[in-house]
Amino acid sequence: MAAKVFIDGEVGTTGLQIRDRLAAREDITLISLEESTRKDTDARIAAFEEADIGILCLPDDAVLDIVAHLGDRDTRLIDASTAHRVNDAWVFGYPELTQDTRARIAAASRVSNPGCYS
């Protein structure tokens, strides 16, 4: 069964690059919103609820806003912004950081992007 992935912000630079990489994979089904609903909070929440994994490719303020709306939903989130980079509730997505970080990332429901200069 293919994992369902929703990229919130798929029309931005980072979102487009991630989408291009995932689109060729047969083990992933991408969830997309129509242009008319891509900024609609209810439509976005519904897409997150349908997804196994949500990738946040938005500016920090927009990420903080949608995460607040999502609450504790089961969708695994990966934040490509800097909004949660140093948040203790999110696992810092840099597997080489410590001996157990790779396992923590694999088990985490919330993973932050380490960025360019980690």
Side-chain angles (χ1 to χ4, degrees):
M1 185 169 138
K4 294 183 266 181
V5 176
F6 172 57
I7 304 168
D8 197 8
E10 74 177 1
V11 298
T13 303
T14 301
L16 286 169
Q17 290 179 16
I18 292 172
R19 182 175 179 66
D20 285 349
R21 291 175 189 219
L22 298 181
R25 294 185 51 158
E26 294 180 14
D27 60 335
I28 293 175
T29 300
L30 292 172
I31 298 168
S32 293
L33 297 176
E34 298 292 326
E35 175 66 26
S36 62
T37 59
R38 70 181 179 88
K39 293 186 178 184
D40 179 279
T41 301
D42 291 334
R44 292 165 60 212
I45 290 170
F48 278 110
E49 288 177 343
E50 181 183 349
D52 300 306
I53 299 169
I55 303 175
L56 303 162
C57 298
L58 303 165
D60 290 2
D61 288 344
V63 166
L64 294 171
D65 181 62
I66 196 64
V67 168
H69 280 90
L70 293 173
D72 292 332
R73 285 181 174 78
D74 290 337
T75 305
R76 184 173 196 213
L77 298 178
I78 301 171
D79 183 4
S81 78
T82 62
H84 296 99
R85 193 167 287 168
V86 295
N87 184 323
D88 290 336
W90 291 62
V91 174
F92 189 62
Y94 189 57
E96 297 85 357
L97 187 63
T98 67
Q99 195 170 19
D100 70 332
T101 303
R102 183 175 302 276
R104 289 182 59 229
I105 292 168
S109 64
R110 304 291 186 260
V111 177
S112 65
N113 175 31
C116 301
Y117 298 105
S118 293

